[in-house]
Amino acid sequence: MARKIRVLVGKPGLDGHDRGAKVIARAYRDAGMEVIYSGLHRTPEELARMAVDEDVDVVALSILSGAHSTLLPKVVQCLLREKGQSSLDVLVLAGGIIPEEDIPALKAAGVDEVFGPGTSTQEIVEYTKTHLKREVA
Amino acid sequence: MRETSPTRGAGISDQLLEGILRGSRPHLARAISLVEDGAGEAVRLLSHVYKRRRMASVVGVTGSPGVGKSTIVNGLVGEFRSLGRSVGVIAVDPTSPFSGGAILGDRVRLRTHTTDDMVYWRSLATRGHLGGLSRHTGDVIALMDAYGFDEIVVETVGAGQSEVDIMKYAETVVVVLAPNLGDDVQAIKAGILEIGDVFCLNKADLPGAERTRRDIEMMLNLREESGWRPPIVMTQAHTGEGLSELVNAVNSHREYLVSSGLLEQKARQSHLAILNEYLSLLTVEKVLESAQVDGSLERALKDLSSGNSDPLTCASELVKRHLT
């Protein structure tokens, strides 16, 4: 029997818009995954702690505040520290309002993929299923 | 670097056990997943973990959806921390019967102690298990206990009237209610109202709170006399009002269990209930497996659809055939 895929849908920082995060959470649920929703206004430290305690395979971050270049690398660093790993065994995804030109730096900082407005939930779920870093079987 | 995460592969159960006893969070987290996923290594891990239990106190929090269970749990964590106690939390939410997925949203209410090393919070999905908890709740409690938490708080799914499994695992069950959730007939029905050791009437600032309190009071008056009368604590979880009284009530109940000798009796009942659960699981598995092999399952199904037999007769025959 394949094990359950667990996902943390996280809202880092100060923006209060979580419609997108909830839509993604639901899409993951409908794909048979267990989704932990962080709630609004979380710090990178809090999100990393949640990811470790909940033993998730995926951290999906939704950010619309414009602070992605500051907050997302911090989440990755906190995850590395909390997990004591030099390369993460969790997939780190980001979505929201993130300009094209900021994406290379985010990827260099350890974000695995960035999804912009208009991406279908199906595409995100497919990407997630095929890029997990831990075995599922 | 804080901790080295466990790696998969051979010897994982020894690795996890060693990590848990050393107090490594990633190891505890991974061990819980292993147990939940029913992995083969989990059996070996648990056999060691149960011998290493330290007997933490287990408090159950149950009640209907939306009465404020998660906010109350967040408040309890704060109160226990201010007493210097470490806390493990298990929060259960339902699995979708259609996709098998789940949205575990209890963390949204956890607003304090989010990076406190003395607090560990784990969300579990029911994965089809009825009764208000996940099938592995008892095992996860054992893992947290071996890790060394002083208090373990278990929050059930939003319970209707018969999700009473929590009484098997918790020494003290807190039933959370909110004003105006039904008339006094609701209060005399069987079910979760019967299992409360402490009643927490949350949202006590809402109109109707006093009336609801009287309804619960009346119901308690009709209960058979025992050495413990469940107190009703009025709370407003979002402001913290009443939370220290709630912890006091939980502590008094615990003292009562010890002084009356009921704690031991309760433990015995809970072991019986858990044993029962595993026995049913294993016997069902065994019967179905061998009935599939020799074709008797198929024959039973045919008899049922043609109307030649009934479910009870079929089941008795299968048990007689495969369990002796």
Side-chain angles (χ1 to χ4, degrees):
Chain A
M1 196 186 80
R3 65 179 180 84
K4 284 274 177 198
I5 298 168
R6 288 169 66 89
V7 185
L8 172 67
V9 171
K11 282 293 300 176
L14 292 177
D15 82 82
H17 305 278
D18 65 351
R19 177 68 60 89
K22 285 173 177 162
V23 169
I24 295 298
R26 199 172 156 152
Y28 279 135
R29 183 200 74 178
D30 291 344
M33 304 181 194
E34 290 182 354
V35 185
I36 294 103
Y37 176 47
S38 72
L40 294 170
H41 309 314
R42 296 301 187 177
T43 65
E45 289 80 5
E46 286 179 317
L47 291 168
R49 177 55 70 86
M50 287 181 196
V52 169
D53 285 4
E54 299 284 1
D55 192 35
V56 294
D57 303 278
V58 184
V59 174
L61 301 163
S62 158
I63 185 159
L64 295 91
S65 65
H68 46 269
S69 298
T70 313
L71 289 171
L72 300 188
K74 270 200 187 142
V75 174
V76 174
Q77 284 157 22
C78 290
L79 274 170
L80 287 167
R81 195 178 60 233
E82 285 276 332
K83 297 199 114 211
Q85 292 172 335
S86 48
S87 73
L88 284 179
D89 67 354
V90 282
L91 183 67
V92 179
L93 305 176
I97 308 298
I98 298 175
E100 275 300 325
E101 62 263 33
D102 292 349
I103 294 178
L106 289 176
K107 287 194 173 172
V111 175
D112 291 294
E113 194 51 86
V114 178
F115 297 101
T119 317
S120 76
T121 53
Q122 215 173 355
E123 189 185 323
I124 297 173
V125 167
E126 261 325 293
Y127 180 94
T128 304
K129 279 185 179 165
T130 48
H131 289 77
L132 295 169
K133 296 183 180 173
R134 300 197 308 209
E135 305 160 49
V136 182
Chain B
M1 296 229 296
R2 295 175 77 98
E3 271 304 339
T4 315
S5 287
T7 48
R8 257 187 108 73
I12 181 87
S13 64
D14 294 338
Q15 217 186 108
L16 289 175
L17 179 69
E18 183 272 327
I20 288 168
L21 298 177
R22 180 161 49 82
S24 155
R25 297 176 88 93
H27 284 78
L28 174 62
R30 180 59 58 82
I32 294 175
S33 303
L34 209 67
V35 166
E36 271 216 288
D37 289 329
E41 302 98 319
V43 178
R44 188 178 145 80
L45 173 65
L46 286 172
S47 73
H48 289 288
V49 161
Y50 272 90
K51 288 177 201 144
R52 296 282 191 356
R53 289 197 61 165
R54 306 175 199 214
M55 298 302 140
S57 310
V58 183
V59 184
V61 177
T62 188
S64 308
V67 293
K69 289 183 299 299
S70 302
T71 315
I72 288 287
V73 169
N74 187 25
L76 281 177
V77 169
E79 290 297 320
F80 283 135
R81 287 301 294 128
S82 68
L83 297 170
R85 317 267 292 161
S86 62
V87 194
V89 178
I90 301 170
V92 188
D93 268 329
T95 291
S96 156
F98 300 108
S99 71
I103 292 187
L104 311 174
D106 294 316
R107 272 199 180 262
V108 174
R109 310 278 174 246
L110 183 69
R111 285 289 156 185
T112 56
H113 303 278
T114 45
T115 53
D116 183 340
D117 284 338
M118 295 293 130
V119 176
Y120 178 93
W121 178 295
R122 180 65 175 236
S123 315
L124 301 182
T126 55
R127 299 193 181 176
H129 190 66
L130 300 176
L133 295 173
S134 131
R135 183 184 299 287
H136 298 285
T137 305
D139 298 331
V140 177
I141 290 172
L143 285 164
M144 287 188 174
D145 190 10
Y147 184 90
F149 291 108
D150 301 320
E151 304 279 346
I152 296 172
V153 180
V154 183
E155 180 188 337
T156 72
V157 302
Q161 293 171 325
S162 56
E163 285 83 357
V164 295
D165 265 9
I166 185 65
M167 63 187 292
K168 295 182 200 164
Y169 301 102
E171 291 139 26
T172 303
V173 174
V174 177
V175 172
V176 184
L177 301 160
N180 303 321
L181 283 183
D183 58 17
D184 47 5
V185 180
Q186 301 295 343
I188 55 172
K189 282 192 190 163
I192 66 165
L193 285 180
E194 281 185 294
I195 67 170
D197 300 306
V198 173
F199 286 91
C200 169
L201 182 50
N202 194 31
K203 309 190 188 187
D205 53 325
L206 293 184
E210 192 42 43
R211 198 205 139 128
T212 305
R213 196 188 62 75
R214 277 203 307 272
D215 285 347
I216 307 167
E217 206 70 75
M218 291 260 283
M219 173 203 71
L220 292 173
N221 286 339
L222 297 171
R223 267 199 194 179
E224 216 170 295
E225 289 270 338
S226 80
W228 175 259
R229 186 185 163 97
I232 304 169
V233 184
M234 311 280 269
T235 58
Q236 295 171 46
H238 65 296
T239 64
E241 184 89 19
L243 289 174
S244 60
E245 288 83 350
L246 184 60
V247 168
N248 287 342
V250 168
N251 286 333
S252 310
H253 180 252
R254 206 172 275 165
E255 280 159 25
Y256 162 74
L257 287 179
V258 174
S259 65
S260 64
L262 279 174
L263 193 62
E264 241 167 281
Q265 204 181 315
K266 247 190 150 148
R268 204 183 137 80
Q269 275 168 6
S270 119
H271 289 146
L272 180 63
I274 296 166
L275 196 60
N276 207 327
E277 196 155 308
Y278 274 107
L279 278 174
S280 344
L281 192 69
L282 293 177
T283 47
V284 167
E285 250 171 35
K286 184 178 182 317
V287 170
L288 282 181
E289 209 172 288
S290 43
Q292 210 151 26
V293 172
D294 77 349
S296 52
L297 179 64
E298 198 46 48
R299 282 199 298 281
L301 289 175
K302 267 193 196 128
D303 285 345
L304 284 176
S305 55
S306 65
N308 280 334
S309 188
D310 62 280
L312 184 57
T313 308
C314 283
S316 320
E317 279 169 2
L318 287 175
V319 165
K320 215 181 282 169
R321 189 182 175 97
H322 297 287
L323 267 191
T324 38

